[in-house]
Amino acid sequence: MATNLKRNLNLQFLTSISKKGVQVCSISSTTSTTISSNHARIPDPSFVNTLNAPFDFDASCAVVYNEYITSTEEDLVANDIKNKMKRRRYEKGHWDAVINLYKEVEIADDSFQEEGDEKNNYSEGIPKLFNRIRQQLAEHHLTDYYDDQESIHWLPCHAIDLKKDGELNAHVDSVRFSGDLVAGLSLLSPSIMRLIPCDDNDDDDNKNSENSTKDEEPYYVDMFLPPRSLYVLTGVGRYKYSHQLLPDGSIFHKTDTDIVVRRDHRLSVIFRDSKQPSS
Ligand code: OGA
Ligand code: MN
């Protein structure tokens, strides 16, 4: 698994790319300036590279909304999360851990009560923002899975703080607890999420794709996740592909431009529905 990740970091390849057509992307929260009132309401297919996907890959199963939140909202969420995590230490996983050099905190569902924001220690507007995201996910990504929105049950969100040299290796989210959708709001740093087809994991919790990923695995899908973007995995993207974050310096092929993605300290907020009793 770790070797899969390391394979993608090929510095020689990076330096051998001619400057023309190569863009270096490293965005820190201090350089973001726009406060947009026009939040992205439709996914942008140019943020998902399916050139190496199987021909029948369903592109609606892995989407990215660019600029989903404003930089003001990003600052508020990031500060709230950092505040919640400030007494925690970075966790160092075992050598084969899925995630390494990270902190994690659950965002209790109290945070979604829009009244009494001061009680739950989230900045004003954050519960509204999280509710808006759940609403969008329910309306646009879960209609195939539920008869009506009232039957959707959400797991508590959780936030992950991943250090620059932290790792999030290939895995499929728990099929015992987590439902048909996994979505993530990315904050502070750009990154690339890579999806790789994996074996069925019906009985296996938190399985990684180590065994199913051959050295020359021909199929993958890359998702470019700039700060303030929202990605959504459903269907095969959620169940039949593992996901992982590529290391700093990996390249995203966006339309006809190669972007060298400088991954730095990153925060994310993960949204999941809970597994339905009958599924
Ligand atoms: C996870 C996960 C990705 C992210 O927590 O299972 O895949 O964007 N997180 O932090
Ligand atoms: Mn995951």
Side-chain angles (χ1 to χ4, degrees):
M1 177 170 34
T3 45
N4 290 339
L5 271 182
K6 302 243 165 58
R7 212 179 61 214
N8 297 312
L9 181 61
N10 187 335
L11 290 172
Q12 272 189 329
F13 176 53
L14 283 186
T15 47
S16 70
I17 298 174
S18 71
K19 281 212 171 110
K20 195 158 167 262
V22 177
Q23 202 176 316
V24 176
C25 181
S26 70
I27 309 168
S28 80
S29 57
T30 49
T31 59
S32 42
T33 49
T34 39
I35 299 176
S36 157
S37 54
N38 276 332
H39 303 157
R41 284 291 171 270
I42 38 172
D44 186 334
S46 73
F47 286 70
V48 184
N49 178 355
T50 56
L51 285 176
N52 300 87
F55 75 95
D56 57 351
F57 181 74
D58 175 359
S60 71
C61 289
V63 304
V64 177
Y65 294 83
N66 189 33
E67 290 290 342
Y68 190 78
I69 61 170
T70 65
S71 49
T72 308
E73 290 168 331
E74 178 189 30
D75 287 347
L76 289 175
V77 179
N79 285 337
D80 284 358
I81 291 171
K82 283 185 192 160
N83 208 19
K84 295 262 172 210
M85 290 175 165
K86 66 178 179 241
R87 284 195 188 81
R88 299 188 182 211
R89 297 223 181 121
Y90 282 98
E91 311 259 350
K92 223 175 162 180
H94 301 294
W95 66 272
D96 63 344
V98 166
I99 183 164
N100 232 321
L101 296 179
Y102 71 104
K103 298 187 203 181
E104 194 169 15
V105 76
E106 192 169 287
I107 300 175
D109 257 6
D110 290 358
S111 319
F112 291 83
Q113 312 301 320
E114 293 189 10
E115 287 163 34
D117 282 1
E118 64 291 339
K119 185 183 114 239
N120 61 47
N121 294 324
Y122 282 91
S123 302
E124 198 183 335
I126 296 306
K128 253 197 191 87
L129 170 64
F130 285 2
N131 279 330
R132 194 180 90 206
I133 293 174
R134 282 183 169 174
Q135 184 75 20
Q136 166 99 12
L137 297 171
E139 284 175 10
H140 296 273
H141 298 280
L142 282 173
T143 50
D144 287 351
Y145 304 98
Y146 291 88
D147 293 335
D148 52 61
Q149 286 184 32
E150 283 66 48
S151 38
I152 302 173
H153 294 284
W154 295 99
L155 292 176
C157 288
H158 76 268
I160 297 177
D161 170 322
L162 190 67
K163 281 182 101 166
K164 179 183 167 96
D165 51 348
E167 293 176 322
L168 183 83
N169 294 310
H171 67 283
V172 173
D173 284 16
S174 163
V175 293
R176 277 188 221 147
F177 305 108
S178 185
D180 296 302
L181 174 146
V182 178
L185 189 62
S186 301
L187 308 170
L188 305 185
S189 168
S191 61
I192 301 171
M193 178 169 273
R194 174 161 293 184
L195 310 186
I196 298 181
C198 61
D199 291 343
D200 285 350
N201 47 59
D202 290 346
D203 318 308
D204 205 343
D205 209 21
N206 226 7
K207 177 182 156 128
N208 67 59
S209 68
E210 189 171 25
N211 299 331
S212 56
T213 308
K214 314 278 183 296
D215 258 3
E216 298 307 320
E217 174 60 72
Y219 293 131
Y220 62 87
V221 173
D222 279 350
M223 306 170 81
F224 178 38
L225 311 178
R228 302 182 295 287
S229 65
L230 177 74
Y231 66 85
V232 188
L233 304 176
T234 49
V236 292
R238 184 264 182 268
Y239 290 112
K240 304 287 185 192
Y241 283 68
S242 67
H243 54 275
Q244 63 187 289
L245 290 182
L246 299 188
D248 176 36
S250 298
I251 296 168
F252 182 76
H253 303 280
K254 188 171 188 294
T255 325
D256 49 9
T257 310
D258 284 344
I259 301 175
V260 179
V261 177
R262 306 303 338 184
R263 205 193 85 196
D264 210 316
H265 177 211
R266 172 179 184 270
L267 296 181
S268 56
V269 181
I270 310 298
F271 295 79
R272 300 186 175 99
D273 60 322
S274 73
K275 186 181 161 75
Q276 299 182 61
S278 56
S279 67

